[in-house]
Amino acid sequence: LAIEDRDKSAASRDLASAFVNSGYFDLVADLRAGADLARLTERREAAAILIVPENYGRDLAGGRLARAQLVLDGADANTATTILGYATAVAGEANLAVVRAARGRAAGAPTAGGAPTAANAGGVAPIDYEPRVWYNPELKTTQFLVPGLIGFILMLTAVLSTAMSVVREKERGTMEQLRVSSLSAGELLLGKTLPYLSISLAATTIILLAARVLFGVVVRGSYLDLFIITFIYLVGALGLGLLVSSIADSQAMAFQLGAGISMLPAILLSGFIFPIRSMPLAVQVITYAVPARYFLVALRGVILKGAGLAPYGRDVAFLVAYALAVLGLAFVRLSRKEV
């Protein structure tokens, strides 16, 4: 939770304390007025932002409705729904606390002129709490799951198709013929990856078209950014497939090994279905080695939030390092005479 307290009154501090002390929220930032809230959510520094406007305390003291707003990052619909439930409960408790305090004061001294206030008028809440969901206002799970499906499908197809193609050469005995030809190891890698890179990019286009037509998922960001992050991710996936092919000696082994190190982590350890923050600490540490985790963060930022790649520099840097590492290992192994 980040808090932008524009009122700086005792009443606004009480409201902020109600959220922080509830046990549901961890305060990560105390924002100044006019802070860039969109950038905060793009970088995933805060899942929710409490905004307390000017005159909040004065409105409460004067018996008028005091407004407060909670901005939620709705890219993850399940998490946003949970946060919304917690925040509504906290706001309700804050309203009850204000009403009890107002009734206690009213019991000791009548209001000026005998006019009822918003706090002691029957059934009227003194705090007008207004939640606002960004990026996915209707909290549709398809908006969250479709980008995850892209990461899963691309990882699965790229790894398995590349691994199977090279291992098939081994089984047929044509790998040795390729090795004694004038082809270098780099040319062999390029020839085995370019076709499947093209197929994977075409699959990405088909998935995005289907998501737009069937589920109404609109790419709000730049298609160039989308292409760049997808290309980097695919290069790493293709490199992983080549690395698997250099280890496996049969297509059955290549399929099992490729599926085990690509499909399962992409589903279970990437945040695609299960929130990473709810996982055990030991499992969370393992997720840092899963490229799909970083790809989905940047992909959802581009598709759902309309963000560029700048807020996700760390994620892009990891994907680049991962791609270079697996391609380097694959190159070394495929260059060996015994492969």
Side-chain angles (χ1 to χ4, degrees):
L1 177 70
I3 297 178
E4 182 179 323
D5 186 358
R6 302 177 183 176
D7 190 48
K8 303 295 183 181
S9 64
S12 65
R13 287 192 291 270
D14 289 341
L15 180 62
S17 298
F19 275 82
V20 176
N21 296 332
S22 66
Y24 300 128
F25 298 91
D26 294 325
L27 182 63
V28 296
D30 189 0
L31 307 175
R32 54 177 176 79
D36 190 349
L37 305 185
R39 191 169 184 81
L40 196 70
T41 54
E42 285 174 3
R43 293 179 178 273
R44 303 179 74 208
E45 295 177 10
I49 304 172
L50 177 65
I51 304 172
V52 185
E54 298 88 348
N55 301 325
Y56 171 85
R58 187 181 305 172
D59 289 340
L60 273 185
R64 297 179 295 275
L65 284 178
R67 301 184 182 277
Q69 186 177 67
L70 186 75
V71 174
L72 299 175
D73 180 356
D76 184 344
N78 294 331
T79 302
T81 301
T82 302
I83 294 174
L84 188 60
Y86 289 151
T88 301
V90 172
E93 290 294 329
N95 262 319
L96 287 177
V98 173
V99 169
R100 292 192 190 102
R103 287 177 177 172
R105 292 193 300 268
T111 29
T117 66
N120 57 33
V124 179
I127 301 175
D128 183 12
Y129 158 73
E130 179 186 352
R132 182 181 177 187
V133 181
W134 280 0
Y135 313 124
N136 186 11
E138 298 177 357
L139 292 177
K140 292 182 179 179
T141 54
T142 53
Q143 302 284 334
F144 175 73
L145 292 178
V146 167
L149 278 174
I150 295 176
F152 165 68
I153 294 173
L154 293 185
M155 175 60 73
L156 185 63
T157 55
V159 171
L160 292 184
S161 58
T162 310
M164 301 284 282
S165 68
V166 177
V167 173
R168 192 180 300 114
E169 300 281 1
K170 292 183 180 181
E171 289 184 339
R172 293 176 177 177
T174 55
M175 177 59 84
E176 288 303 322
Q177 298 178 18
L178 290 174
R179 294 202 53 81
V180 297
S181 68
S182 59
L183 286 175
S184 65
E187 291 171 338
L188 177 61
L189 290 178
L190 196 62
K192 287 298 182 182
T193 55
L194 280 182
Y196 298 108
L197 177 62
S198 303
I199 292 172
S200 299
L201 290 175
T204 304
T205 304
I206 295 173
I207 294 171
L208 290 175
L209 288 175
R212 179 69 178 91
V213 174
L214 300 178
F215 304 107
V217 178
V218 181
V219 178
R220 294 185 171 89
S222 167
Y223 281 94
L224 178 60
D225 291 334
L226 182 62
F227 170 79
I228 291 174
I229 192 66
T230 303
F231 180 83
I232 297 172
Y233 179 68
L234 283 175
V235 170
L238 294 171
L240 181 61
L242 290 172
L243 183 60
V244 169
S245 70
S246 70
I247 300 173
D249 294 323
S250 66
Q251 294 187 58
M253 181 180 177
F255 180 84
Q256 294 177 358
L257 184 59
I261 65 177
S262 63
M263 181 175 67
L264 294 180
I267 293 178
L268 302 177
L269 302 178
S270 65
F272 169 33
I273 298 177
F274 307 107
I276 293 177
R277 294 179 181 177
S278 65
M279 298 178 183
L281 182 59
V283 179
Q284 290 187 37
V285 173
I286 298 175
T287 63
Y288 285 103
V290 179
R293 165 183 176 152
Y294 303 92
F295 176 64
L296 293 189
V297 170
L299 188 68
R300 286 173 177 146
V302 174
I303 293 179
L304 301 181
K305 302 179 181 181
L309 296 181
Y312 309 106
R314 186 193 66 171
D315 304 288
V316 175
F318 176 86
L319 290 176
V320 171
Y322 177 83
L324 293 176
V326 292
L327 280 176
L329 289 174
F331 179 82
V332 170
R333 287 193 59 83
L334 290 174
S335 298
R336 292 167 55 187
K337 294 298 182 182
E338 63 266 28
V339 175

